[in-house]
Amino acid sequence: MNRQVLDPAPRSYVQHIYLLARSNRGAACAPDTQNLQDVHDWLLHDATRIDNVMLMFEEFMWRCRAANLGIDRCTLHIGTLHPRVVGFSWVWNSTDELCDEIAADANAVNNVAFTKNPLYRVMREGEIIKVDLETEEGVNSGSLMQDLAEQGYTAYVALPLSTAGEMHNAMTFATKRPGGFPPVDKERIRGLIDLLALHVERHIVQRIARNVADTYLGPIAGRRVLDGEIRRGDGEAIKAVVFMSDMRGFTQLADRLSGPEVTCILNAYFDRVSDAVLNHGGDILKFMGDGILAVFDQEVLGERAAAEAAVKASREALSAIDELNDTPPATLPDPDLWQPLKIGIGLHRGEVFFGNVGGEDRLDFTVIGRAVNETSRVESLCKPLGQELLMTAPVKEALSGDLQTGLNEMGEHALRGVGKPVAIFAA
């Protein structure tokens, strides 16, 4: 899920609903004139080559407009498998000519704005909802209906699509035509929806696969696996800044707290450090007990940018942990049992193998190599040197002058498995 906050103006969305992407191609993305058979043929052929749901849905709606189907507003809603998101939606209307992709977080299903929406009954129970917005009863049937009536809509329809989960996928339609949707249009629209639903199912499977790959492998590794790098040994040597963090005193913490309490603390730590890494373009490859392994790819970000991103991410992570100690959430165990939470971060720059390793039937997409081992040794020096962030000379040398200012020389230190002492710097 895109972490960037996008301004939805001129539209607005309720709490727990976030704008992910927007297209404003307007009617130009479709032919000026269409008939029902044209739209049908497009769904069978050209639409299969569009791999972006938002763009496919947007073009579909403008083709329906060109076919004079009288749809002025349409939304598409699907459930998904994602740790933070329960579903995605696409919202189109002909007035502002925008098509938005939005996401609903896990709290959205408990929000009264959703549970009171007729869409809830469609997705939960599979009902078909029809509302005549030219009647007082229809207008007063809910706040959404009042809003639509004020905008000039005359009829609203919500219907379920096929689904493989607990919640149905759904579409809604609204028109501004006097008298609402004529019976002939309802039949024409229904036939097209059955075809569109097949595309939706295909995209749901692809999106879930991408969500799972991104969640468990990281977005970069996940994309490479889905693109076909699935055989043992698939991968490449890359130059990167390797990031490794570790929680201080984790063993003692595990002895004092129950399993669920330890998990709660770990997740709070992982949330803050991983957010910092992802915010600066890093790719998290592994959570190792109480440690995090990540890389900042020089070939993607650039040599200097990768080093600077790693340092900025490290400082942001440390600040986030300080804030966690200062103002712990009420959901965490008694602070007296775990405060202060301390971590160490090590940074090193070098060549690593980024790809598949493991057994024939159980693989891991990760980074291995001398630079990874050396980063682990650097991080292990944090505790004896009394520092939170240590880096090697190759990282320091790649930084701009501003970021080099304030670094403290910690001398040369012998690292296990490394032939000669390594210069270490603290930030």
Side-chain angles (χ1 to χ4, degrees):
M1 178 179 166
N2 187 349
R3 292 168 179 268
Q4 183 180 2
V5 178
L6 301 178
D7 182 0
R11 296 179 175 180
S12 62
Y13 295 106
V14 298
Q15 187 180 18
H16 306 301
I17 303 296
Y18 306 95
L19 175 64
L20 299 182
R22 168 171 287 171
S23 178
N24 60 353
R25 296 181 299 168
C29 71
D32 292 335
T33 59
Q34 292 274 273
N35 59 40
L36 196 65
Q37 189 62 46
D38 291 333
V39 182
H40 182 277
D41 291 345
W42 176 79
L43 284 169
L44 284 177
H45 303 290
D46 291 349
T48 63
R49 292 187 284 273
I50 303 175
D51 61 3
N52 183 299
V53 182
M54 179 178 66
L55 299 182
M56 180 197 69
F57 177 63
E58 179 187 35
E59 184 173 344
F60 172 72
M61 293 316 307
W62 284 113
R63 284 177 177 271
C64 287
R65 286 281 295 182
N68 199 33
L69 288 178
I71 305 170
D72 295 294
R73 179 184 185 273
C74 186
T75 66
L76 170 63
H77 309 266
I78 66 171
T80 192
L81 182 63
H82 190 284
R84 300 171 66 177
V85 176
V86 294
F88 297 95
S89 300
W90 293 267
V91 182
W92 169 91
N93 74 55
S94 61
T95 303
D96 61 19
E97 300 191 349
L98 301 176
C99 186
D100 286 354
E101 178 174 327
I102 58 178
D105 71 23
N107 295 311
V109 293
N110 300 317
N111 190 307
V112 67
F114 177 64
T115 57
K116 295 295 184 181
N117 190 308
L119 186 64
Y120 179 79
R121 303 207 312 271
V122 176
M123 300 184 75
R124 177 66 69 180
E125 307 296 338
E127 290 186 36
I128 295 178
I129 305 291
K130 300 178 182 179
V131 182
D132 185 349
L133 297 175
E134 293 180 310
T135 67
E136 185 175 347
E137 180 183 4
V139 172
N140 293 329
S141 62
S143 59
L144 174 62
M145 299 305 118
Q146 292 173 352
D147 291 342
L148 291 177
E150 289 176 1
Q151 295 169 40
Y153 291 97
T154 59
Y156 171 91
V157 178
L159 65 160
L161 301 180
S162 59
T163 181
E166 288 185 12
M167 297 279 280
H168 292 267
N169 302 315
M171 289 188 75
T172 75
F173 301 88
T175 184
K176 293 183 178 181
R177 285 184 175 180
F181 292 105
V184 64
D185 275 4
K186 293 178 183 178
E187 291 301 317
R188 296 164 74 203
I189 294 169
R190 183 73 248 189
L192 294 176
I193 291 172
D194 290 339
L195 271 179
L196 181 69
L198 298 177
H199 287 282
V200 171
E201 289 293 325
R202 172 173 63 90
H203 283 289
I204 289 173
V205 171
Q206 292 173 341
R207 185 174 288 261
I208 288 176
R210 190 163 64 247
N211 290 342
V212 171
D214 287 355
T215 300
Y216 287 93
L217 298 176
I220 297 175
R223 182 172 62 251
R224 294 175 70 157
V225 168
L226 292 177
D227 284 345
E229 291 188 30
I230 59 174
R231 292 182 297 274
R232 184 167 58 173
D234 278 353
E236 62 179 326
I238 65 169
K239 292 182 178 180
V241 177
V242 184
F243 169 107
M244 201 169 287
S245 75
D246 186 66
M247 187 188 296
R248 303 273 83 88
F250 177 71
T251 301
Q252 292 79 4
L253 189 70
D255 288 339
R256 293 196 303 272
L257 301 176
S258 67
E261 289 174 328
V262 173
T263 300
C264 191
I265 297 294
L266 274 176
N267 285 337
Y269 150 62
F270 287 146
D271 273 346
R272 286 151 181 80
V273 177
S274 61
D275 280 352
V277 170
L278 295 172
N279 288 343
H280 291 277
D283 193 38
I284 296 173
L285 299 176
K286 196 180 295 295
F287 294 99
M288 309 168 294
D290 62 326
I292 298 175
L293 172 64
V295 292
F296 294 81
D297 191 341
Q298 290 184 185
E299 296 173 23
V300 174
L301 301 173
E303 182 176 305
R304 171 166 289 181
E308 295 187 348
V311 172
K312 291 176 181 177
S314 299
R315 289 174 171 171
E316 182 178 313
L318 292 170
S319 294
I321 295 300
D322 287 341
E323 184 179 346
L324 176 65
N325 284 315
D326 293 339
T327 56
T331 53
L332 293 183
D334 182 351
D336 290 339
L337 298 176
W338 56 268
Q339 281 186 331
L341 193 66
K342 293 184 178 294
I343 70 170
I345 299 175
L347 302 176
H348 182 47
R349 187 164 66 93
E351 186 174 273
V352 296
F353 175 77
F354 188 40
N356 283 301
V357 296
E360 290 184 359
D361 297 318
R362 177 60 174 89
L363 296 173
D364 189 14
F365 203 101
T366 187
V367 289
I368 59 173
R370 179 175 175 178
V372 178
N373 298 332
E374 292 178 5
T375 306
S376 176
R377 308 287 189 263
V378 172
E379 188 281 321
S380 67
L381 290 174
C382 287
K383 184 175 181 179
L385 294 179
Q387 300 294 326
E388 294 180 313
L389 172 58
L390 296 176
M391 68 186 73
T392 58
V395 178
K396 171 186 174 293
E397 291 163 0
L399 299 175
S400 62
D402 289 345
L403 284 177
Q404 286 194 27
T405 301
L407 296 182
N408 298 317
E409 293 188 33
M410 305 302 293
E412 293 188 340
H413 294 264
L415 303 181
R416 182 163 55 88
V418 179
K420 59 181 181 180
V422 173
I424 301 293
F425 298 84

